């Protein structure tokens, strides 16, 4: 973990927030219906925060090693255009995002919870884990959220980012009329 001052400095440098899906955007559980269809539960407040972030110009993307129609649908519902789902080294997917948006590692914030997230957590300018993450992910993180994955962790991170970058007032202005 880093100091509160260093956290604020890193939050200010972020130009893109990338999120693992299972265990971060969801509680990590995967349900199957009687027809074999996959079901996942996504937090509404996380989704609203993602929409606010996109609205003020801070890109958010999903990086998952597990392709899922539910993730594709959630990304489409929220207007998330960065949605990479491929069973590969996640850092390769992040490199694609960096190239596409012309970003450096220091400008990327990444939220992860599992061993497969370590390559990205170790390189991101702001590495974040969730309390339900594995020990190694939490150790690699600069910050661990108070809220668990699938239960407001993403909302917590986005609020921190938008407030540190003085974008919070713009993000909520339409609700204050």
């Amino acid at each position: 973990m880093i100091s509160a001052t260093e956290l604020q400095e890193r939050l200010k440098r972020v130009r893109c927030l990338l999120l693992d899906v299972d265990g971060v955007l969801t509680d990590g559980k995967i349900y199957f219906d009687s027809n074999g269809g996959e079901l996942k539960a996504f937090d509404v407040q996380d989704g609203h925060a993602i929409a606010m972030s996109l609205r003020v110009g801070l890109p958010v993307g999903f990086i998952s090693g597990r392709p899922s129609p539910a993730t594709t649908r959630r990304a489409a519902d929220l207007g998330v255009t960065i949605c990479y789902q491929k069973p590969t080294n996640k850092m390769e997917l992040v490199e694609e995002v960096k190239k596409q948006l012309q970003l450096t590692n220091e400008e990327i914030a990444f939220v992860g919870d599992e061993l497969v997230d370590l390559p990205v957590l170790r390189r991101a300018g702001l590495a974040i884990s969730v309390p339900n993450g594995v020990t190694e992910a939490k150790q690699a993180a600069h910050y661990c959220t108070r809220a668990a994955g699938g239960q407001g962790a993403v909302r917590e991170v986005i609020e921190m980012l938008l407030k540190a970058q003085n974008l919070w007032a713009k993000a909520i202005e339409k609700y204050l009329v």
Side-chain angles (χ1 to χ4, degrees):
M1 297 301 145
I2 57 176
S3 71
T5 302
E6 178 64 19
L7 176 61
Q8 287 302 307
E9 289 305 313
R10 287 175 185 262
L11 286 163
K12 289 176 186 175
R13 287 193 294 262
V14 171
R15 292 186 46 217
C16 180
L17 172 62
L18 298 176
L19 307 166
D20 174 43
V21 177
D22 298 321
V24 171
L25 278 166
T26 75
D27 63 4
K29 294 181 175 86
I30 299 170
Y31 303 91
F32 294 97
D33 64 24
S34 59
N35 297 319
E38 181 179 284
L39 305 171
K40 295 182 184 190
F42 295 91
D43 186 85
V44 172
Q45 289 185 352
D46 286 348
H48 187 228
I50 290 168
M52 289 191 307
S53 184
L54 295 172
R55 191 168 56 243
V56 298
L58 181 64
V60 177
F62 300 169
I63 304 290
S64 180
R66 187 174 182 283
S68 166
T71 300
T72 302
R73 169 73 188 272
R74 186 62 173 152
D77 286 349
L78 296 172
V80 172
T81 58
I82 302 167
C83 184
Y84 292 112
Q85 304 177 75
K86 190 188 282 186
T88 186
N89 179 330
K90 288 187 181 183
M91 197 61 213
E92 292 175 18
L93 302 176
V94 172
E95 290 297 335
E96 289 183 38
V97 173
K98 286 171 44 186
K99 184 177 179 182
Q100 175 188 350
L101 299 179
Q102 299 180 340
L103 300 173
T104 65
N105 285 340
E106 292 74 29
E107 296 169 314
I108 298 285
F110 179 73
V111 186
D113 71 316
E114 246 309 343
L115 296 173
V116 297
D117 298 322
L118 288 175
V120 183
L121 289 168
R122 289 185 178 139
R123 290 174 183 82
L126 179 57
I128 302 167
S129 188
V130 290
N132 52 298
V134 299
T135 300
E136 293 84 355
K138 291 186 280 190
Q139 289 173 342
H142 299 113
Y143 178 79
C144 186
T145 62
R146 290 178 185 86
Q151 298 177 24
V154 172
R155 173 66 174 251
E156 179 182 333
V157 170
I158 290 174
E159 282 194 29
M160 288 172 41
L161 282 165
L162 297 183
K163 288 175 181 177
Q165 295 183 17
N166 295 315
L167 293 170
W168 183 249
K170 182 178 179 184
I172 67 168
E173 69 187 0
K174 79 179 227 174
Y175 308 111
L176 303 177
V177 291

